[in-house]
Amino acid sequence: MNTIKFSDGYSLKTETHNVEIYDSQYIEVNGKSRLVDSHCSIMIYPSLYCNAKCAFCINHFDENIKSCKEIEDDNLYFLKLREALKLLKHLKPTVHICGGEPTISHRILSIMGIVKEFGLLNRSFPTNGTGLLKRYEGKLLLQHMLENGLTNNINLSRSSHIDKNNQKLMGICFTNKDIETVATFCNVNHMSFRISCVLHKFGIDSLEDLISFHEYYRKLNIKSTIFREMVKVPKVNRKEKFVDIEPIMNQLDSDSRFEKIRTMQGEYYLVNVYRYKESIVKCYREKFKDDRELIRDFVFMPDGEVYIARNNKPNERLLGDINE
Ligand code: SF4
């Protein structure tokens, strides 16, 4: 997905891998030889339920997600998750716990425990924030995350840096005051926390908007903000909401506030790197359509099925599936 990322130029990098150092090889996956990216990941869905109502949410459009029948029995869900991780463990995938809204799933603590038990590194934790400051078994969810090693890239979604606009666009009330509390906890405990924004016509849709959004959160001591395009869904026309990020990226080259530093050639992304005040800005452009043989991501769906992901969506169910 094409992305613009602002991060702190003076602290250690937060990526779990370097885009310029990559490799892929044929590896056996469930009895079949498949070409797998050395930086592959698994997205774990505790549930598809989310309390927010973002108009751009892929879960409302994708057929594999819409037709998913969630396992109700927790024990069966955890059994299937363990089987999936056992199947993929030799690939050392990094983990995204996503959804739905993961912080309000009653399965969240157990899932974190299972990921830790398998020794897998978390890559990102996308959330709308709702449950981060809730107490589970007497402790803040953030504290559980810290204790279980979920400290990388806690990505909090916002559609606007203005509370009332965000509430209107996402349908939830997680305020900037709450975000400040989360940021303080993360900064004190060296957890990487960033604000993530999907561009769309009724929210953030221009370079000036991006800058205002980034500057606002920098003042709250949040040093990383990330902006993405809406995921494209075949046969679904979302033109009235869609914002093309490419012209915004191109603007950086002629804007004197941005100084171009270098270009990085990744396997999957071409990354232009700029300096903006005290931040580093990276523009990630996809080099290919994500329809090649190479597997970058797997998905564990809440019905216990394991898929290969394409374009951040479950796409191909693993053949000879573990559930059969
Ligand atoms: S917060 Fe995320 S999962 Fe929830 S509706 Fe918005 S985009 Fe979808």
Side-chain angles (χ1 to χ4, degrees):
M1 197 181 323
N2 290 348
T3 304
I4 300 177
K5 185 166 86 181
F6 289 70
S7 54
D8 188 7
Y10 298 101
S11 57
L12 290 172
K13 72 183 191 72
T14 55
E15 286 99 341
T16 48
H17 63 272
N18 185 329
V19 291
E20 288 180 305
I21 301 170
Y22 55 85
D23 186 17
S24 55
Q25 52 182 305
Y26 281 94
I27 299 175
E28 191 161 301
V29 183
N30 205 23
K32 277 188 84 176
S33 177
R34 310 290 303 241
L35 184 63
V36 180
D37 191 317
S38 56
H39 301 309
C40 72
S41 71
I42 177 163
M43 305 179 213
I44 300 173
Y45 283 70
S47 156
L48 293 171
Y49 174 72
C50 182
N51 55 331
K53 314 234 165 331
C54 307
F56 51 81
C57 182
I58 185 71
N59 294 359
H60 305 154
F61 300 100
D62 183 78
E63 288 308 322
N64 283 325
I65 294 177
K66 278 183 1 192
S67 62
C68 169
K69 294 209 176 2
E70 301 193 20
I71 296 175
E72 284 176 18
D73 180 330
D74 288 340
N75 289 332
L76 182 60
Y77 174 94
F78 297 131
L79 181 78
K80 297 275 186 193
L81 176 59
R82 280 202 166 85
E83 284 175 352
L85 295 183
K86 221 178 278 170
L87 177 82
L88 301 175
K89 194 180 170 205
H90 64 297
L91 306 175
K92 298 192 179 58
T94 48
V95 172
H96 312 259
I97 301 178
C98 52
E101 176 47 41
T103 64
I104 53 176
S105 166
H106 67 280
R107 291 174 174 159
I108 188 66
L109 296 192
S110 304
I111 293 173
M112 288 196 283
I114 292 171
V115 169
K116 188 176 181 187
E117 177 189 315
F118 276 81
L120 300 175
L121 178 71
N122 104 286
R123 176 129 138 206
S124 79
F125 188 87
T127 171
N128 64 34
T130 303
L132 287 176
L133 298 170
K134 287 201 171 131
R135 286 185 182 275
Y136 291 86
E137 297 178 2
K139 284 189 263 188
L140 290 184
L141 181 61
L142 276 171
Q143 180 66 33
H144 285 286
M145 289 167 68
L146 176 64
E147 289 172 13
N148 283 284
L150 268 89
T151 55
N152 284 325
N153 300 328
I154 300 159
N155 278 0
L156 192 139
S157 302
R158 290 283 283 189
S159 284
S160 169
H161 52 295
I162 300 162
D163 274 338
K164 73 171 175 8
N165 294 356
N166 190 69
Q167 191 170 348
K168 201 166 149 203
L169 291 162
M170 293 183 70
I172 51 164
C173 181
F174 195 76
T175 65
N176 284 320
K177 193 89 204 122
D178 297 323
I179 290 178
E180 215 175 338
T181 308
V182 173
T184 304
F185 184 98
C186 290
N187 287 338
V188 166
N189 292 293
H190 307 289
M191 297 163 83
S192 79
F193 176 52
R194 64 193 185 191
I195 309 289
S196 162
C197 177
V198 173
L199 304 178
H200 68 106
K201 292 263 171 71
F202 307 105
I204 302 294
D205 69 351
S206 66
L207 179 58
E208 292 316 311
D209 277 0
L210 257 76
I211 291 174
S212 308
F213 186 100
H214 169 70
E215 298 278 2
Y216 180 87
Y217 285 112
R218 254 203 93 84
K219 282 194 191 120
L220 299 191
N221 229 350
I222 299 162
K223 304 206 171 115
S224 184
T225 39
I226 185 160
F227 302 91
R228 297 194 169 100
E229 280 179 345
M230 268 186 222
V231 176
K232 289 183 184 144
V233 191
K235 297 186 202 142
V236 179
N237 184 352
R238 302 203 282 169
K239 271 196 184 135
E240 77 288 356
K241 302 189 190 93
F242 187 82
V243 174
D244 187 352
I245 204 167
E246 181 67 24
I248 300 177
M249 288 182 177
N250 290 339
Q251 268 179 276
L252 267 55
D253 287 319
S254 53
D255 189 315
S256 59
R257 292 169 294 180
F258 294 85
E259 179 202 348
K260 190 160 177 191
I261 304 171
R262 63 182 292 231
T263 297
M264 297 158 75
Q265 283 282 357
E267 204 278 341
Y268 191 76
Y269 288 107
L270 176 79
V271 188
N272 282 339
V273 187
Y274 304 81
R275 193 183 308 283
Y276 168 80
K277 295 186 179 173
E278 56 284 90
S279 297
I280 294 294
V281 183
K282 290 183 182 162
C283 294
Y284 294 78
R285 285 177 170 89
E286 284 170 329
K287 290 162 66 174
F288 311 101
K289 245 177 107 212
D290 193 7
D291 58 2
R292 298 172 306 151
E293 183 193 5
L294 179 69
I295 300 174
R296 298 173 64 227
D297 302 298
F298 298 88
V299 186
F300 177 77
M301 293 290 281
D303 58 1
E305 300 279 359
V306 181
Y307 284 81
I308 291 165
R310 306 262 179 234
N311 298 310
N312 291 295
K313 303 189 298 275
N315 174 277
E316 178 196 335
R317 195 172 151 228
L318 272 188
L319 295 177
D321 190 64
I322 52 172
N323 302 304
E324 287 169 352

